[in-house]
Amino acid sequence: MEDQISKISDAANRMRISSIEQTAKANSGHPTSSCSAAEIVATLFFSEMRYSGHACPILYAAWEEAGLLTREQVLTLRKLNSDIEGHPTPRLSFIDVATGSLGQGLSCAAGMAYTGKYIDNASYRVYCLLGDSESAEGSVWEAAAFASYYKLDNLVTIVDVNRLGQSRETMIGHDLFTYAKRFEAFGFNSIIVDGHDVADLLKAFDEARKVTGQPTAIIARTLKGKGIEGVEDKDNCHGKPVTLDKAEIIASKLGNNTTKNSWELENLIDDAPQVDFEIGKIKMSSPPNYQIGEKVATRLAYGNALVKLADTSKRIIALDGDVSNSTFSDKVLNKYPQQFVQCFIAEQNMVGVAVGMSCRGRTIPHASTFAVFFTRAADQIRMGAISFANVKFAGSHAGVSIGEDGPSQMGLEDLALFRAVPNSIVLYPSDAVSTEYATELAANYKGITFTRTGRPNTPVIYPNDEKFEIGKCKVIRQTNEDKYLLIGAGVTLYECIKAHDILSSEGIQVAVIDLFSVKPLDNQTLIEQAKRVGGKVLTVEDHYQTGGIGEAVSLALGDVPNVRVRSLCVKGF
Amino acid sequence: MEDQISKISDAANRMRISSIEQTAKANSGHPTSSCSAAEIVATLFFSEMRYSGHACPILYAAWEEAGLLTREQVLTLRKLNSDIEGHPTPRLSFIDVATGSLGQGLSCAAGMAYTGKYIDNASYRVYCLLGDSESAEGSVWEAAAFASYYKLDNLVTIVDVNRLGQSRETMIGHDLFTYAKRFEAFGFNSIIVDGHDVADLLKAFDEARKVTGQPTAIIARTLKGKGIEGVEDKDNCHGKPVTLDKAEIIASKLGNNTTKNSWELENLIDDAPQVDFEIGKIKMSSPPNYQIGEKVATRLAYGNALVKLADTSKRIIALDGDVSNSTFSDKVLNKYPQQFVQCFIAEQNMVGVAVGMSCRGRTIPHASTFAVFFTRAADQIRMGAISFANVKFAGSHAGVSIGEDGPSQMGLEDLALFRAVPNSIVLYPSDAVSTEYATELAANYKGITFTRTGRPNTPVIYPNDEKFEIGKCKVIRQTNEDKYLLIGAGVTLYECIKAHDILSSEGIQVAVIDLFSVKPLDNQTLIEQAKRVGGKVLTVEDHYQTGGIGEAVSLALGDVPNVRVRSLCVKGF
């Protein structure tokens, strides 16, 4: 035990030195936060193992100590073309979720722990290193409430209370007791420790492993820049590299013992089962079953499709933010309660949990709420994309078509939000048949998808065996005399059809496209049809102008000669 | 006292009846939440007065009881063309901030209370009615931490613990003690009451008034649908109107006393001072003072301008999320600490506080952080717009030009986010001179503005007395032989100038526009210049495609014959 403690303490100091060297070499980065967390990370790595966390030089240093990264690799920190970035991302094999936007780690960790406890029924435990400054983010408390409600005793968060934020002291400084009180009020077991005392840390991790029925928060008192002379516990040193000679002072503490340990890391017990799905081959248990002309809300069709996916895999999971009776994800709750996760009214955490549940391909999370409420979790969605997360989003109650609930409940920016996500897919089906296929297509795409559904009942226009593809629209009305091209989606498609019928009765022929795939756009068909009708295109959408269908189509057709695009969209409240 | 209690209890029942009638008539709305909050709202209105808070029928009923609205008006609830919307907005004179997206009220209330205590130095108190379901939103805890840190003893929140959410019971049901513990851990004085007992409520409000140095949370045990037979405390009744005969049962409790009281409302003590600014006439204390060619980061120029605005009014307020030493809002902190509000790392609350501080025109809040971190508060910004809030946002570290901090820190969706805000102004200055004028222009626009600033030092290109306008771009290079039009802003403007110089040396002339005003666009100049050069336009931006400059310009020029637009933008991480 004594031997283990001194080995870990020495490792912590070597990691400190490495962090200082990485950031000095890069002339950029966060050595001070790395030094406050050195013993915590060393104890986790060389006794407990597994983690989640921007004090990343210390993380890279730990992997160096463990032998996965070389000194040469870690010294490429923050260089162009290096995967050793200033804030870690899953470009690195040992990173599951990206960090750098604060206060999101605990939600992801809770999603992983939920999966471990309830889906994998496996023994793995999840550790989340949290900065004290970032605990001001409300998302941390959403995650804490979730973790205790679901009794996630396989989850441990370690709060690195180093007192100092970027610009000044945090709200509660070194008041460890208040941190403990907050976590206890949110249902955690809490343990206060000296975060630079390896023995204290080992004892706390040991206690946490024995606690049942609740997660544990280890509140660790640390000093920012610990070990760096003239920097330790000093304000205004955040994100500032120091000179290499500071490393020597730390090295002197180690005596001659500056050579790396050879660690005998314990073998992982991997008792998580194989997953029961293969992306690309996921099928609904039965095809859509509607009558042409039957009026069905697309949100209802989404619920139907989700159940038919859940029929085929125990790892199709529905996540809800207390509106499952509106989005119809409650169909999964009713048939497969173990495949439904109620996240209550905390959309940020719902998205973070979904990102965590998707890690390592353990599940395919489908998170749904009103389209507009994803705006609340915009930053989590952004970070989910940087994490290469495989999460399916579905937003109901899109646009002003929801009516009397008022502007606060209308999704009018959701297409922009999800189009802006790199590598995302955005589908906007107009009837029940296309909605079911959209849901199936989304489940088979690895990455972030968004499916927009509507509140009102709209007629079924496609036969049950129609084929839909990501990146393909449907030309639903065309003649050889078409003078205009109308492009709609969702409720506006029906308005385009009405316009077509009226104009047709007046002898004016127009083509109508059901856009279906908002991202990627079916540029080829759009260009062909625009040219075919003589270049006059009108987009009609239930969304604001910014980042919506009109702008997307305008840019796509922007460089096509003799094509002109006009847009009808929502202009104000 | 007994008389007051029974008068208020009777009023609460009449308000219950009115809420049932409003929602029955509309066949839509939330009678059950209105019934749980009836005594709370009645006590507030007819003893304490002032509020903030979707159980709005009870709010309308209270104003009816108070005589401001007539029965005929309140019965237009949720009708088209009626301001009596399903979720209240400031279209109504007695509403300062819009609600409907949950968990935002306490931040706004905290902003009002901060203004009352520290800016107005006035006696007014702020009351915030909070639903128990919405307390799962992390933004509530951001606000709580803020309110206690700043010792807002003029702030009272009443938590209507009616146990039931929309789809099921909340996480902690009627566990009042846990609510109290959470608020206490976040620094509040807490009082547990029976929310249907007017005497209990009166006592709690009285106690709250006597507490100094901390805000108070009144945790009120209520029953959802209280008084509605067959609905009271029953699951699955959220947002469902009931039949009018339910109102009769409640009426029977009142005996013959169903006629409205005539309330002698106490006169308001308005001891808040006059504000010292007039929107439209706000000037910096001195004009920009740079040399052409001098390299200055636009974020630094923003800090300079903000101080020069603060010089002229005590009510120009800078709000920060612990990055003031990066955004340079710390220049205000250093010169006028009382005009600087540190909101720590809690962007949602920062925006909510800013919305609250702008209410009733008391201050002009300037909230700044890294551009990307406004994504965290996208929903608060959206609701701020629905509240017609007058808040100035400034986002620094825009785009990939920030370099080695990695994708999580890059603002690449910020133009889309702020362009999507109805009636917003989005300015993107390229040099220090234009940044100072942009900041001054924003301060003089009543509504939401966003100014995008950058991290790197860029050369000053405008003389100190150049004139800038909202909605006007600058044509900075043009000849009679121009064959292309390049449109840039920020760092990309300098790339456009370089391209111009290289092409010019090769004998190819191109015009260059500094866009400056991203919203509204200067359509007239853009169209004129596009036609003048023969129709070939290239936009260059440090932002994703979605909702950025390329899409905005493409749509603006989409219907102009013989104009073609191409876009260069950021395509991935």
Side-chain angles (χ1 to χ4, degrees), chain B residues 69-114:
Chain B
L69 295 178
T70 64
R71 169 57 53 106
E72 291 63 41
Q73 286 176 309
V74 301
L75 291 181
T76 64
L77 176 76
R78 288 173 169 248
K79 299 280 183 252
L80 207 63
N81 300 323
S82 169
D83 285 338
I84 310 290
E85 296 184 65
H87 295 88
T89 79
R91 290 183 195 280
L92 296 163
S93 64
F94 50 86
I95 305 270
D96 284 333
V97 293
T99 68
S101 183
L102 299 176
Q104 304 194 3
L106 192 56
S107 293
C108 299
M112 296 175 192
Y114 186 98

Side-chain angles (χ1 to χ4, degrees), chain A residues 480-496:
Chain A
N480 290 333
E481 284 85 47
D482 293 333
K483 292 285 174 278
Y484 298 92
L485 172 62
L486 308 185
I487 301 175
V491 292
T492 64
L493 180 66
Y494 298 91
E495 300 303 316
C496 290

Side-chain angles (χ1 to χ4, degrees), chain A residues 106 143-145 147-148 155-157 180 182-190 214-217:
Chain A
L106 192 56
S148 68
L155 175 67
V156 178
T157 185
R182 290 185 182 180
F183 274 100
E184 282 165 19
F186 277 80
F188 276 58
N189 169 51
S190 79
Q214 62 178 165
T216 291

Side-chain angles (χ1 to χ4, degrees), chain B residues 270-449:
Chain B
D270 190 355
D271 52 5
Q274 288 282 313
V275 300
D276 61 352
F277 62 85
E278 191 181 335
I279 293 173
K281 296 188 176 171
I282 299 167
K283 285 254 169 226
M284 294 185 286
S285 57
S286 63
N289 184 16
Y290 303 98
Q291 303 293 321
I292 298 273
E294 185 185 353
K295 287 196 160 190
V296 185
T298 53
R299 59 182 168 132
L300 177 60
Y302 167 74
N304 292 339
L306 203 52
V307 169
K308 292 198 263 183
L309 291 172
D311 282 340
T312 68
S313 164
K314 295 280 157 233
R315 287 166 184 270
I316 301 282
I317 309 291
L319 290 87
D320 174 39
D322 196 24
V323 289
S324 54
N325 46 351
S326 293
T327 60
F328 290 109
S329 68
D330 63 358
K331 289 177 172 284
V332 175
L333 170 66
N334 297 335
K335 190 165 181 187
Y336 303 111
Q338 74 284 12
Q339 287 173 250
F340 181 90
V341 186
Q342 180 52 262
C343 299
F344 300 94
I345 305 179
E347 296 78 9
Q348 298 190 85
N349 183 61
M350 177 172 72
V351 173
V353 165
V355 169
M357 290 190 79
S358 80
C359 282
R360 298 173 177 251
R362 302 309 305 162
T363 77
I364 306 183
H366 287 67
S368 49
T369 182
F370 285 23
V372 70
F373 296 141
F374 283 120
T375 306
R376 191 61 156 265
D379 200 39
Q380 276 78 9
I381 294 166
R382 182 179 75 86
M383 292 302 297
I386 297 179
S387 297
F388 304 110
N390 181 33
V391 179
K392 315 295 118 188
F393 297 99
S396 68
H397 293 66
V400 299
S401 60
I402 68 162
E404 66 269 17
D405 267 338
S408 64
Q409 318 289 301
M410 296 172 180
L412 290 164
E413 308 95 342
D414 53 311
L415 295 178
L417 167 62
F418 284 99
R419 282 186 62 232
V421 172
N423 307 314
S424 68
I425 298 297
V426 178
L427 301 178
Y428 188 1
S430 299
D431 82 340
V433 170
S434 53
T435 302
E436 289 204 18
Y437 285 117
T439 308
E440 190 183 66
L441 286 166
N444 284 292
Y445 175 80
K446 193 159 184 289
I448 287 182
T449 66

